[in-house]
Amino acid sequence: MRIIVLGGDGYCGWATALYLSRKGHSIAIVDNFVRRQWDHELGAQTLTPIRPLSERVRAWHKLTGKTIDTFVGDVQDYDFLSSVIEEYEPEAVIHFAEQRSAPYSMIDRKHAVFTQVNNVVGTLNLLFALAEFQPACHLIKLGTMGEYGTPNIDIEEGYITVEHNGRKDLLPFPKQPGSFYHLSKVHDSHNMMFACKAWGLRATDLNQGIVYGTLTEEVALDEALINRFDYDEIFGTVLNRFCAQAAIGHPLTVYGAGGQTRGFLDIRDTVRCIEIACLNPAGRGECRVYNQFTEQFSVLQLAQLTAAAAKHLGLKVEIDHLPDPRVEAEEHYYNAKHSKLIDMGPGAASPFQRPHRFTPGHRFAIPGKN
Ligand code: NAD
Ligand code: USQ
């Protein structure tokens, strides 16, 4: 397939671009490197020093003979984005190109406004560009499990059947996001649903959980391909932070009671989920929603798992409970469905347990469950 990866210089996007390129798809990356600027702004750095994109794609070509095209620009710039869509004629566009940190979006008014403008305008531009130049193209958009918040009922995949005053309908699942960032994803979801209905576009909204890990088979091929690994308090996600803290002997920073429960997935499963979505496009006019994670844990459970793994390596790790800087429930019910991707495409939680190619009938192997 001809696939454009928006945000392909970032954590999920780079791993996905290489994975799909290795599978034989034609890949183009679009990025404006704004993420690298935010690192400068925050005085933070990826633990793994990443090379400039031009060097990364050259190294990939040298190693595999495969070419990844690059387009440098801002998805907020409609002329730029629409010309890329017109020129490349993609069959699928995977949209990762957003500001993705909840803490960054909560710094102050300026960062909240930036996050929502960047994310909502970028996605709107993409919807218009697809409608104008490539209406049959499948949009695969990264949403977030955090769109749903933590309701006291089971979380469905995007839609829920509601009965009210004797009548019944399938409606979007209620959204209770916990930051201006997570809210930007809710706005995107609504815009996508409307554009699919109004213009017959096809879209998959992937409500992804928290991603962990750095290595995929492809980025492990050469140091020049290494992916970013964030561990700072703004962009570092919780399990990546706990691992970095354990390695340097810093107490694990559990916020509050640690009962905050979320869906998690290994970055090796992110790329496979995206591939499943690419190979099984939504129908014209369809905006489907999948929950994309493999396991759910509370923050305290994760800290305990990290401490146990560290002990195994001879590291002594303490768990600290810090005042929670976020507005979120520290104890709550959480049971999120996540069967649609599993039903659609075979796979397994660990690439070391899974067959290299999809085989019908295979499911995600969640330890103790399958
Ligand atoms: P990232 O910050 O590492 O990558 C995002 C990339 O998009 C960066 O390279 C950045 O430069 C680019 N970008 C941002 N705005 C842009 C713009 N206006 N024009 C062009 N490029 C732009 O983020 P990530 O962790 O790879 O996340 C990718 C997507 O997946 C995001 O939409 C995020 O919300 C979603 N997601 C991530 C996680 C996670 O745990 N990392 C979990 C769930 C969902
Ligand atoms: N947390 C701690 N200690 C820390 C860091 C975080 O206890 O040192 C807690 C937070 O309070 C929160 C939970 O861990 O309850 C998750 O925080 P996080 O920073 O790992 O993840 P989050 O802010 O939810 O955002 C991340 C990505 C975002 C993605 C989201 C998926 O940055 O792009 O959308 O995960 S989800 O959480 O499912 O919405």
Side-chain angles (χ1 to χ4, degrees):
M1 292 174 74
R2 295 177 63 74
I3 301 174
I4 295 181
V5 180
L6 304 179
D9 189 45
Y11 175 54
C12 300
W14 177 239
T16 302
L18 295 192
Y19 179 82
L20 294 175
S21 171
R22 193 176 180 190
K23 289 278 175 133
H25 302 288
S26 299
I27 303 295
I29 283 177
V30 173
D31 209 296
N32 65 348
F33 310 130
V34 66
R35 178 56 209 281
R36 294 177 185 244
Q37 282 174 37
W38 299 329
D39 288 345
H40 290 306
E41 175 195 349
L42 299 166
Q45 264 180 18
T46 155
L47 186 63
T48 44
I50 55 170
R51 305 279 174 95
L53 181 63
S54 54
E55 261 184 51
R56 293 171 128 186
V57 296
R58 258 202 312 276
W60 180 246
H61 181 68
K62 212 169 138 195
L63 272 164
T64 65
K66 294 183 184 296
T67 303
I68 293 181
D69 294 311
T70 54
F71 296 89
V72 176
D74 190 335
V75 298
Q76 288 186 63
D77 175 350
Y78 184 72
D79 291 341
F80 162 74
L81 181 64
S82 59
S83 68
V84 173
I85 301 287
E86 187 179 15
E87 182 185 328
Y88 199 77
E89 298 182 337
E91 290 154 88
V93 176
I94 306 163
H95 182 17
F96 293 105
E98 297 203 330
Q99 191 301 96
R100 68 108 173 126
S101 160
Y104 188 89
S105 76
M106 301 298 289
I107 292 174
D108 57 15
R109 184 201 65 84
K110 195 176 119 202
H111 289 84
V113 170
F114 173 82
T115 299
Q116 294 215 349
V117 171
N118 187 61
N119 295 0
V120 175
V121 171
T123 297
L124 260 181
N125 279 347
L126 180 58
L127 292 168
F128 273 88
L130 291 175
E132 196 172 345
F133 296 108
Q134 201 67 3
C137 175
H138 179 205
L139 166 59
I140 297 159
K141 162 72 170 52
L142 271 290
T144 174
M145 285 301 294
E147 291 187 35
Y148 303 116
T150 53
N152 200 29
I153 57 170
D154 291 349
I155 294 173
E156 302 296 325
E157 299 198 58
Y159 299 90
I160 184 169
T161 302
V162 176
E163 268 192 68
H164 182 62
N165 291 344
R167 299 185 66 80
K168 209 159 124 178
D169 204 352
L170 183 69
L171 297 171
F173 196 91
K175 308 289 168 67
Q176 301 182 80
S179 74
F180 287 115
Y181 152 71
H182 287 100
L183 271 158
S184 74
K185 296 284 190 184
V186 173
H187 306 327
D188 284 342
S189 294
H190 289 148
N191 286 340
M192 283 164 63
M193 273 179 200
F194 177 74
C196 288
K197 205 183 330 179
W199 305 328
L201 297 183
R202 49 174 101 224
T204 302
D205 202 354
L206 294 176
N207 283 338
Q208 188 172 231
I210 304 172
V211 183
Y212 60 86
T214 310
L215 288 183
T216 51
E217 277 181 39
E218 294 73 30
V219 308
L221 287 175
D222 192 275
E223 202 197 319
L225 302 173
I226 194 76
N227 203 351
R228 60 180 312 132
F229 182 91
D230 301 298
Y231 63 102
D232 63 281
E233 73 274 24
I234 301 285
F235 274 97
T237 48
V238 64
L239 184 52
N240 287 354
R241 270 168 71 67
F242 286 173
C243 291
Q245 290 164 349
I248 60 164
H250 189 286
L252 307 187
T253 54
V254 171
Y255 295 158
Q260 304 93 311
T261 304
R262 304 285 185 269
F264 288 83
L265 74 165
D266 188 311
I267 189 155
R268 293 171 293 189
D269 287 315
T270 291
V271 301
R272 292 171 61 83
C273 289
I274 301 281
E275 184 188 33
I276 293 170
C278 283
L279 297 179
N280 301 276
R284 289 300 292 262
E286 185 185 9
C287 184
R288 60 187 188 182
V289 183
Y290 298 147
N291 295 345
Q292 178 171 318
F293 66 94
T294 55
E295 293 169 273
Q296 59 178 58
F297 296 102
S298 74
V299 167
L300 186 56
Q301 279 175 325
L302 277 186
Q304 287 161 345
L305 281 170
T306 309
K311 195 170 166 202
H312 200 62
L313 296 171
L315 301 168
K316 191 170 176 308
V317 170
E318 284 172 20
I319 297 175
D320 223 354
H321 286 266
L322 305 176
D324 194 341
R326 305 194 187 189
V327 179
E328 60 185 3
E330 291 177 20
E331 300 284 356
H332 56 86
Y333 177 78
Y334 199 76
N335 183 33
K337 307 272 175 73
H338 58 115
S339 60
K340 287 189 181 175
L341 276 165
I342 297 171
D343 291 344
M344 213 166 52
S350 159
F352 304 111
Q353 299 164 346
R354 63 175 69 125
H356 196 65
R357 297 200 148 268
F358 294 142
T359 332
H362 264 273
R363 299 183 144 250
F364 285 98
I366 297 174
K369 294 204 178 153
N370 299 33

